Amino acid sequence: MEHGDNMSKTPYELIGQDALYQIIDNFYNLVEKDNRINYLFPVDFSETSRKQFLTQFLGGPDLYTQEHGHPMLKRRHMEFTISDYERDAWLENMYTAIQHANFPASVGDYLI
């Protein structure tokens, strides 16, 4: 994959839906087992809205907005105290999920 080609594509296009869903599934499996942050998430770790949101956030179809309205991220997260500890745990789990995804290394490097 040429670097110039990457610059004209959205992250969603670079990753592809299958690999993105693999990342999301891996990430939430890790989070579910991570006592540092799992209490911050709803009980249902297979929630479809997460895939819809990340698809839209990374430049794919606006599936989340179509079904749920505007994401309102700040409002949805205001009730939680997120310190460096929780942030680092989230990032560690996302990094691990990206590393285990099935796409070219250059795409993983792009995301990280």
Side-chain angles (χ1 to χ4, degrees):
M1 196 177 318
E2 293 292 320
H3 181 66
D5 294 341
N6 289 347
M7 299 304 288
S8 63
K9 293 183 178 181
T10 66
Y12 177 80
E13 291 170 324
L14 289 172
I15 299 166
Q17 180 176 302
D18 291 341
L20 175 60
Y21 286 5
Q22 180 185 17
I23 291 169
I24 294 167
D25 289 340
N26 289 342
F27 173 73
Y28 284 106
N29 285 333
L30 293 166
V31 167
E32 185 174 18
K33 298 171 189 161
D34 190 336
N35 292 329
R36 296 173 297 172
I37 57 172
N38 59 10
Y39 67 92
L40 295 169
F41 293 84
V43 175
D44 182 6
F45 281 89
S46 64
E47 194 176 310
T48 303
S49 65
R50 292 185 178 109
K51 289 181 180 172
Q52 293 171 328
F53 171 76
L54 287 169
T55 294
Q56 179 173 319
F57 181 76
L58 293 172
D62 64 346
L63 304 174
Y64 186 92
T65 298
Q66 288 178 30
E67 187 169 331
H68 307 282
H70 190 281
M72 300 181 291
L73 283 180
K74 186 174 182 177
R75 181 170 169 252
R76 292 185 196 276
H77 291 84
M78 285 181 75
E79 68 182 272
F80 304 108
T81 300
I82 309 292
S83 70
D84 291 350
Y85 179 77
E86 290 85 6
R87 179 206 60 202
D88 291 348
W90 190 98
L91 289 169
E92 179 185 311
N93 286 305
M94 183 56 76
Y95 178 81
T96 300
I98 289 170
Q99 294 302 309
H100 289 93
N102 194 14
F103 49 69
S106 62
V107 175
D109 294 343
Y110 173 85
L111 291 172
I112 297 168

